[in-house]
């Protein structure tokens, strides 16, 4: 039974009271809890019972505590759909008494018992962090509980900042209607160009024909690139950085032969095709004579560009090169994500989630112009599945198919009338909804109408079209098989080179870290996996767990004074490594088929025991 709250009984006069937690963010590692999976599920049910209490949405502090309880329950039992269902119910302004019959006293007793253990003298640092996360909502829900009143805390756990909105977002917010949509003035397709416009077009054609005589000013430009980079600390230590990195270009045209310096790459497989793609696409726009005269220096700072990035560097490089040759500066807030091909088409990069997660975890104070390959449409919808619609509200996200699309949207003042009008409409929507909960705000009929208008003005604007989908509640509840395969491929990237390594050189501590990184990425995916795709997900999960077995076997192997192939731990280590090789090859081959990628090499044929 669902009962409309008195809070919104006045025909929706209050907007944005309950904001669900961000899905897909792991608050803690389940494997460090001193509870088996069945007891974790029972603990999640106790948290759900508290979340469904009668005063769950009474005021801002209670609403926020409710969101925290549901986030904890979802982390403890990722396969359960109940937290997501309750979040949708509460966001709609309804109370749900499905769990109201649960004994709240019993739930609090169970939580107290677990907390006493987690805060004990023998508890690990991670276990105490989990206890603090549980105590934060209990301080609001059950302040008189003994373990809560005895707590000495310096404030709320900082881990909530990534998952739960600040308190002011849960305050009552009056609904503000947007003005009615205005039809944009569009140019008449059949109208003849003015004499001045025709002259400009003729001049442009003449320049394209005779660009071997092109004279342009010296250039210095920059674009932010989501990238996986390497930094050499010493001969023994090499750090991997996942971050948004400035790509800079300093360039000029020489009178005779020039030279182009590219970023440094640790691996040799990726940068040669990147160079070739930039050269091929420039040759399609400018004469060979002009290209020969370019003296340019591309730099990514004192770091190495790694093969994991694929061909993604070619697109920002050619934007900078085009800016140099056309004497235009790229937008200062520009980010591009796509793989450029030799025909100027913008394809999806391999393992796109490693780059999307970088963008999501590094928000900007002001809106970014984000240009994304049109082939990443399913991944964009998956952000709605993960309740990350704020990404589209906070940024101007466009899908692009060709270099012409990119160049139109990458430079200041180059936008078409349609793009400019859509940007203006969306800026007004963002202004009105700046202090409101995105998921609730976009469901307002007036806002939906304006979003639809912006989408129709320029269908490339994903920010408008996907927020319209979210406001209409048409977003997918589970990941498609293609998106799941892409997510799993990115989640297991930390182990992608392990099956091809020399097993004698593996270190237990590094194997443990690989296992931890993979599980941290895998666990949040579970909640949006359909029954039909559960087997594929479980394959990836089993593969990650094999690494922990391998790490423990290696640790015991290393402690043996005189190891031999006949000893139990040595035998376990090698048999586990061989199992990982086979299972990885089978799994990666299946994922490659789903994503229509080249199949992987068989690690059993290319590694050494």
């Amino acid at each position: 039974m669902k009962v409309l709250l008195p809070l919104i009984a006045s025909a929706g006069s209050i907007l944005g009271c309950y904001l669900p937690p961000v899905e897909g963010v792991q608050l803690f590692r389940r494997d460090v809890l001193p509870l088996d999976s069945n007891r974790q599920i029972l603990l999640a049910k106790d948290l759900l019972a508290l979340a469904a209490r009668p005063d769950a949405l009474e005021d801002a502090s209670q609403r926020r505590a409710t969101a925290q309880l549901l986030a904890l329950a979802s982390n403890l039992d990722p396969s359960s759909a109940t937290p997501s269902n309750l979040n949708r119910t509460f966001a709609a302004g309804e109370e749900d008494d499905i769990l109201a019959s649960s004994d709240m006293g019993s739930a609090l007793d169970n939580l107290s018992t677990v907390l006493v253990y987690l805060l004990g003298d023998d508890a690990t640092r991670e276990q105490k962090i989990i206890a603090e996360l549980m105590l934060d909502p209990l301080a609001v829900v059950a302040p008189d509980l003994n373990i809560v009143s005895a707590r000495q805390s310096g404030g709320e756990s900082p881990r909530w900042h990534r998952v739960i909105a600040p308190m002011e977002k849960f305050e009552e917010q009056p609904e503000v209607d947007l003005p009615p949509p205005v039809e944009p003035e569009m140019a008449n397709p059949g109208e003849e160009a003015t004499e001045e416009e025709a002259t400009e077009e003729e001049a442009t054609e003449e320049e394209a024909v005779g660009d071997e005589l092109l004279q342009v000013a010296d250039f210095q430009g920059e674009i932010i690139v989501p990238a996986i980079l390497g930094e050499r600390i010493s001969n023994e230590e090499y750090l991997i950085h996942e971050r948004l990195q400035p790509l800079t270009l300093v360039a000029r045209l020489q009178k005779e032969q020039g030279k182009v310096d590219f970023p440094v790459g640790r691996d040799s497989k990726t940068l040669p095709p990147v160079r070739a793609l930039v050269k091929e696409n420039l040759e399609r726009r400018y004469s060979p004579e002009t290209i020969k005269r370019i003296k340019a220096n591309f730099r990514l700072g004192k770091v190495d560009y790694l093969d994991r990035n694929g061909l993604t560097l070619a697109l920002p490089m050619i934007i900078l090169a085009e800016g140099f040759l056309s004497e235009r500066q790229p937008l200062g807030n520009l980010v591009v994500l796509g793989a450029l091909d030799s025909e100027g088409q913008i394809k999806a990069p391999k393992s796109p989630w490693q780059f999307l997660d970088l963008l999501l975890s590094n928000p900007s104070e002001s809106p970014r112009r984000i240009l994304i390959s049109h082939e990443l449409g399913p991944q964009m919808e998956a952000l709605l599945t993960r309740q990350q619609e704020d990404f589209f509200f906070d940024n101007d996200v466009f899908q692009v198919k060709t270099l012409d699309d990119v160049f139109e949207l990458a430079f200041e003042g180059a936008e078409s009338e349609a793009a400019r009008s859509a940007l203006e409409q969306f800026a007004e929507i963002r202004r009105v909804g700046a202090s409101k909960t995105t998921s609730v705000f976009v469901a307002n009929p007036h806002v939906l109408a304006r979003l639809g208008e912006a989408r129709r003005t320029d269908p490339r604007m994903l920010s408008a079209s996907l927020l319209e989908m979210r406001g209409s509640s048409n977003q997918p509840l589970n990941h498609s098989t293609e998106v799941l395969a892409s997510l799993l491929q990115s989640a297991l990237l930390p182990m992608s080179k392990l099956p091809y390594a020399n097993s004698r050189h593996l270190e237990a501590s590094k194997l443990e870290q690989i296992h931890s990184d993979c599980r941290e990425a895998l666990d949040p995916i579970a909640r949006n996996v359909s029954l039909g795709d559960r087997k594929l997900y479980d394959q990836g999960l089993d593969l990650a767990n094999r690494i922990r077995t391998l790490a423990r076997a290696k640790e015991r192997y290393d402690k043996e004074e005189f190891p031999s192939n006949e000893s139990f731990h040595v035998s376990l280590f090698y048999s586990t490594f061989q199992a990982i090789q086979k299972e990885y090859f089978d799994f990666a081959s299946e994922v490659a088929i789903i994503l229509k990628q080249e199949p992987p090499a068989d690690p059993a044929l290319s590694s050494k025991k």
Side-chain angles (χ1 to χ4, degrees), residues 273-305:
V274 165
R275 296 188 189 107
L277 283 169
V278 173
K279 185 173 182 292
E280 287 177 38
N281 279 280
L282 282 178
E283 288 175 342
R284 293 172 58 245
R285 303 180 66 83
Y286 297 93
S287 73
E289 180 62 30
T290 294
I291 294 172
K292 285 179 184 178
R293 294 166 54 209
I294 294 175
K295 178 178 174 60
N297 191 328
F298 289 99
R299 281 292 173 264
L300 274 169
K302 297 180 180 180
V303 289
D304 292 347
Y305 185 75

Side-chain angles (χ1 to χ4, degrees), residues 12 15 174-178 436-451 471-472:
L15 185 62
E175 181 176 353
V176 178
D177 288 345
L178 284 165
K436 299 177 174 60
T437 302
T438 302
S439 58
V440 180
F441 175 68
V442 297
N444 181 295
H446 297 294
V447 179
L448 267 177
R450 292 299 301 271
L451 288 169
S472 304

Side-chain angles (χ1 to χ4, degrees), residues 240-547:
I240 305 298
H241 300 287
E242 300 181 358
R243 66 190 185 202
L244 301 181
Q245 179 77 7
L247 170 69
T248 60
L249 170 63
V250 177
R252 66 184 305 173
L253 276 185
Q254 302 283 81
K255 290 184 178 179
E256 297 181 357
Q257 186 73 30
K259 179 184 177 183
V260 179
D261 291 327
F262 286 82
V264 177
R266 183 189 182 198
D267 306 307
S268 60
K269 299 176 183 176
T270 300
L271 280 179
V274 165
R275 296 188 189 107
L277 283 169
V278 173
K279 185 173 182 292
E280 287 177 38
N281 279 280
L282 282 178
E283 288 175 342
R284 293 172 58 245
R285 303 180 66 83
Y286 297 93
S287 73
E289 180 62 30
T290 294
I291 294 172
K292 285 179 184 178
R293 294 166 54 209
I294 294 175
K295 178 178 174 60
N297 191 328
F298 289 99
R299 281 292 173 264
L300 274 169
K302 297 180 180 180
V303 289
D304 292 347
Y305 185 75
L306 303 183
D307 275 356
R308 270 179 58 181
N309 295 282
L311 303 177
T312 54
L313 194 60
L315 187 53
M317 286 177 70
I318 200 166
I319 292 173
L320 288 171
E322 174 69 17
F324 161 51
L325 294 172
S326 63
E327 298 191 287
R328 297 181 291 176
Q329 275 289 344
L331 293 165
N333 60 350
L334 179 68
V335 180
V336 292
L337 179 54
L340 178 66
D341 73 5
S342 60
E343 300 299 320
Q345 303 295 309
I346 314 302
K347 304 295 185 181
K350 187 176 180 181
S351 302
W353 284 102
Q354 61 182 331
F355 307 112
L356 290 172
D357 286 337
L358 267 175
L359 286 173
L360 291 164
S361 59
N362 291 276
S364 173
E365 292 184 2
S366 57
R368 290 189 176 116
R369 177 83 57 86
I370 301 178
L371 310 183
I372 288 179
S373 167
H374 70 104
E375 293 185 353
L376 292 178
Q379 281 76 13
M380 295 295 97
E381 291 185 11
L383 294 182
L384 299 183
T385 303
R386 291 164 44 156
Q387 296 186 353
Q388 291 173 313
E389 56 272 356
D390 283 349
F391 174 73
F392 300 105
F393 187 84
D394 295 338
N395 300 289
D396 298 324
V397 186
F398 285 83
Q399 60 180 351
V400 289
K401 292 184 178 181
T402 67
L403 269 182
D404 290 336
D405 287 334
V406 172
F407 292 154
E408 176 202 331
L409 296 165
F411 298 104
E412 185 71 45
E415 302 95 341
S416 65
E417 179 61 32
R420 192 176 300 113
S421 178
L423 284 165
E424 290 172 355
Q425 293 173 49
F426 194 76
E428 176 64 11
I429 294 170
R430 183 187 288 123
R431 183 190 67 78
V432 175
S435 62
K436 299 177 174 60
T437 302
T438 302
S439 58
V440 180
F441 175 68
V442 297
N444 181 295
H446 297 294
V447 179
L448 267 177
R450 292 299 301 271
L451 288 169
E453 185 63 31
R455 170 185 57 78
R456 288 187 292 273
T457 302
D458 192 336
R460 297 172 301 177
M461 192 175 197
L462 287 176
S463 288
S465 61
L466 290 182
L467 287 177
E468 183 185 24
M469 177 186 289
R470 180 67 180 88
S472 304
S473 297
N474 290 326
Q475 74 276 11
L477 297 179
N478 291 318
H479 296 309
S480 67
T481 302
E482 177 191 349
V483 167
L484 176 63
S486 180
L487 281 165
L488 294 175
Q489 187 180 67
S490 290
L492 294 177
L493 273 174
M495 70 157 294
S496 59
K497 291 189 176 181
L498 172 62
Y500 303 93
N502 187 328
S503 59
R504 297 178 188 276
H505 298 160
L506 298 177
E507 299 176 21
S509 60
K510 291 184 178 179
L511 291 171
E512 284 281 8
Q513 186 60 52
I514 290 172
H515 167 263
S516 178
D517 292 344
C518 290
R519 283 300 302 263
E520 187 175 349
L522 282 168
D523 286 353
I525 300 172
R527 73 191 76 214
N528 298 117
V529 178
S530 65
L531 288 176
D533 288 329
R534 177 60 59 176
K535 181 180 177 182
L536 180 65
Y537 174 81
D538 288 343
Q539 278 182 270
L541 188 63
D542 291 344
L543 195 52
N545 289 336
R546 282 269 196 192
I547 302 173

